[in-house]
Amino acid sequence: MVWDPLAGTRVLDLAQPMRRGMPQSPNHPPFRMAIERRHGDVMRPDGGSAANELIVTGGHVGTHVDALAHVSQDGYLHGGVEALSVQGHLGFTALGIETFGVYVGRAAVFDVARLHGVPSLPPGYEITAADLAACDAEVRPGDAVLIGTGWSRRWDEPEAFVGHRAGCPGPGVEAAGWLVERGAAIAGGETIAFECIPPGAGHAVLPVHRLLLVERGIHIVETMRLAPLLDTGATECLLVLNPLPIVGATGAPVRPLAVLP
Amino acid sequence: MVWDPLAGTRVLDLAQPMRRGMPQSPNHPPFRMAIERRHGDVMRPDGGSAANELIVTGGHVGTHVDALAHVSQDGYLHGGVEALSVQGHLGFTALGIETFGVYVGRAAVFDVARLHGVPSLPPGYEITAADLAACDAEVRPGDAVLIGTGWSRRWDEPEAFVGHRAGCPGPGVEAAGWLVERGAAIAGGETIAFECIPPGAGHAVLPVHRLLLVERGIHIVETMRLAPLLDTGATECLLVLNPLPIVGATGAPVRPLAVLP
Amino acid sequence: MVWDPLAGTRVLDLAQPMRRGMPQSPNHPPFRMAIERRHGDVMRPDGGSAANELIVTGGHVGTHVDALAHVSQDGYLHGGVEALSVQGHLGFTALGIETFGVYVGRAAVFDVARLHGVPSLPPGYEITAADLAACDAEVRPGDAVLIGTGWSRRWDEPEAFVGHRAGCPGPGVEAAGWLVERGAAIAGGETIAFECIPPGAGHAVLPVHRLLLVERGIHIVETMRLAPLLDTGATECLLVLNPLPIVGATGAPVRPLAVLP
Amino acid sequence: MVWDPLAGTRVLDLAQPMRRGMPQSPNHPPFRMAIERRHGDVMRPDGGSAANELIVTGGHVGTHVDALAHVSQDGYLHGGVEALSVQGHLGFTALGIETFGVYVGRAAVFDVARLHGVPSLPPGYEITAADLAACDAEVRPGDAVLIGTGWSRRWDEPEAFVGHRAGCPGPGVEAAGWLVERGAAIAGGETIAFECIPPGAGHAVLPVHRLLLVERGIHIVETMRLAPLLDTGATECLLVLNPLPIVGATGAPVRPLAVLP
């Protein structure tokens, strides 16, 4: 049967836990959960009781996939779709996250932190094409590509993780172009934005988003918890990527899985 | 490699799309999404622009997994955990949905609608142990079990789907007990509550929740879109179940996948 | 002192209570409140404890004031302001509810239900200029005008109150024009929309909103609890109207007060 | 008529404007508003269009009134009400903000900043009974009392306003006791908490809340914009205090008004 080959495989959880106060971009609604009904509030006639919650969040909060609707350039989304014509009160009528669907396939893993012999790259470090070429990993057309900066190991340092002052490591346009040339279909990383964020500059411009989302139609996965995958030293894995099908959203939370032999 | 056996497999998306007005229980916060920033609101110096959203939802909205913290009996959660001692302003400190983790494994598929030769079972129909025994499916210890009522085919009829007046089909305690005896570890269905809801009675008592969640520690998956899986006639599949890791929540949205040969 | 003349006056609360499930327009986000932190969740070292809540709502939920930014006609807001040029991710940069400020002044009270000898006007009833002329009330330039339909007496019948099927009573364009001619500066009523809503038609068009908000710059107050004021038989009062100063919003909740001798 | 004496009076708005990023306590849900429907999204057949918003907030966000349900001591609310017995999924069944109702009456104004010849008191400054006695203001039984620290003049400095590091000025227990002895019924101030918050200590204990809310049943108004009132030099005014009637909430936003001769 289909699952027999999975016997003995390892399944790694690549999502960061979601809770109030977790690192996230100030551009997006802060995650908040309140337990609305608690046990004991309403007792059913048979002594049973149910609890539930009220959740406020954004589509780019926690580990998430960016939809192609997320970024435009000069007024246009990927494929020349005019942004103003597809955005409305129910979300986007084109290129929303539900159009991504689901990815179950190969991922190439480039651990640039390991390449440099550090647990995490320094803030503001720009990953280059040479870095990627020096990693022992191979992109095949249609692949997802996961770039290890080791940044997910700093999840418990919210201020450093967000990197407003010191910046965050990430691929520059050159490195992103290197991935594009090799046929990458999805690009994922550990930081809030899949970009090199220089110290003090903030998210003033997002050139890698432009290249991937707008020009090439390549989806981006952000705030991934790649640490357990990087720890294995694997250079490839099976990736399961199934973001919540929120119709018309510019992004959605996801709990990605890596399957390893 | 690990994904080679997946070549030629089919991956089915078992989640209902999430949008305003979709069928959901009135006990839970209504799903609402607003596009907060639209393209054109803020132009970056290079002509780029990003859009995002504000989302309000509940942990039991859309396709979701019930955590063991969801239901208590006489004040106790599964395993004798006192409900009052583990619920608080940050959620549950025990048995929250993050303790479910991830399931990647076999699912047995019982299509009771097909057994009865109907696209969907009538409202209020109680699935019996005899129904399950008559299906051409087998539960192995540790399996997930998916029960087809065909109800996901009625997603576009919100009033009927919720079933306040006419009720919903689902397993009775006897059928649930039959699953328990065979070692089911997870139980999933298409309706809002994995229960038989008689006409006019509403969710006054939830005996199957009590048996599964409280007494046996078996997680429940609700509002699944099983239709595409039932359409194949498959009696087993590989199920991927990775609910959002919302720490301390009593349930969380999920986009389950079925993998078929 | 300034409050001496108020000795012996009556202050009437003209707001409907806000709670989950209260009647509101389905066009607006449903009101929801969860107690986030409860007493006992976090005890301070001295035995103190504080509780708080998480609130989700809309600007047109419960008793509220419509900002001029709320309605446009052919793309323009009041005064020829182009709607597209003033709406953005932080709300409206012109004609938001904060520009209303505060009103403390005379209100003329037209009790049309009393005129017809009924506790509340029938659903779909159109209030005419003749109705207003027949009331024993007088509009002075700059006044607020409150129109009694008696509908606030039906607050506890949510389905009827909303009036999706049967409609709601309210002023027609002719009656609204009569108020405009007399110099009304603010217009308030008890229904969700200050309009005559015919049976079965819903809010397809809102001609009174167009006349008042767009053409005349007259603010509208909706879902007022006028019953206690109508019960007095008063034809004028001092009205205090201080909506929450939510910058850039198209409307905001308010707790209006009537002061009577 | 009742409003005649108001001719020539001044009405001052004592609320801070509500917008994303405004200073607020991190204990409470951050204020967030998104315009949900914009003009142009849905055009009515006659060329009309309406915009609305989705609002997320807390009961203690912006200018607000604390309900007696807000604080407990050793498990009890004011009047010996057991906190656990009155809190639930719909809020508090006793001492919620709706039980405050509305206050229209005299307020005594103590401008302690003016007393010390400064625009705002230093962070962490404890207002003493001697300070209050030295002000040219008089408390009469049943009065509201407004204490000027000048802190509302620092609204545009969010970090300083919140005072996590440097603290905030406010009354100590001694000063609060002085107000209690004179029969104050409501106490209002400009800071987030009506307390003296020493540098570095945060809101570890809230002794003035305990004295006023729990022991004496005196409501507290926080984050008031007293600056325009203090600027007048007035030592008394008419205060209108009408918090949103959110049933069962521990606090609610309000737009207080001061009326001066």
Side-chain angles (χ1 to χ4, degrees), chain A residues 25 27-28 59-60 64-73 76-78 83 86-87 92 94-97 192-195 203 206 209-210 213-214 218-220 222 248-252, chain B residues 35 37-40 42 44 48-53:
Chain A
S25 163
N27 288 336
H28 299 286
H60 301 264
H64 64 274
V65 181
D66 284 357
L68 298 184
H70 179 42
V71 171
S72 65
Q73 182 62 36
Y76 292 90
L77 303 174
H78 178 66
V86 295
Q87 60 190 5
F92 282 78
L95 304 181
I97 193 62
I192 289 175
F194 189 75
E195 298 274 356
H203 296 190
L206 299 175
H209 279 66
R210 172 180 177 169
L213 292 175
V214 185
I218 298 174
H219 287 80
I220 296 175
E222 291 168 323
T250 70
Chain B
I35 301 294
R37 197 159 21 110
R38 298 191 186 185
H39 295 293
V42 180
R44 298 181 193 274
S49 163
N52 74 333
E53 54 281 296

Side-chain angles (χ1 to χ4, degrees), chain B residues 189-215:
Chain B
E190 298 167 88
T191 55
I192 289 176
F194 188 75
E195 298 274 355
C196 170
I197 305 294
H203 296 190
V205 291
L206 299 175
V208 172
H209 279 66
R210 172 181 176 170
L211 173 59
L212 299 184
L213 292 175
V214 185
E215 297 179 10

Side-chain angles (χ1 to χ4, degrees), chain A residues 1 18 28 39 44 46-47 49 51-53 55 57 69-70 72-74 87 203 236 242-243 245 247 250 255, chain B residues 1 18 28 39 44 46-47 49 51-53 55 57 69-70 72-74 87 203 236 242-243 245 247 250 255:
Chain A
M1 290 304 305
M18 301 178 82
H28 299 286
H39 295 292
R44 299 183 194 275
D46 66 349
S49 163
N52 74 333
E53 54 281 296
I55 298 167
T57 189
H70 179 42
S72 65
Q73 182 62 36
D74 301 324
Q87 60 190 5
H203 296 190
E236 60 179 4
N242 51 347
V247 179
T250 70
R255 187 172 193 170
Chain B
M1 291 305 305
M18 301 179 83
H28 298 287
H39 295 293
R44 298 181 193 274
D46 65 349
S49 163
N52 74 333
E53 54 281 296
I55 297 167
T57 189
H70 180 41
S72 65
Q73 183 62 37
D74 302 324
Q87 59 190 5
H203 296 190
E236 60 178 5
N242 50 347
V247 179
T250 70
R255 188 170 194 172

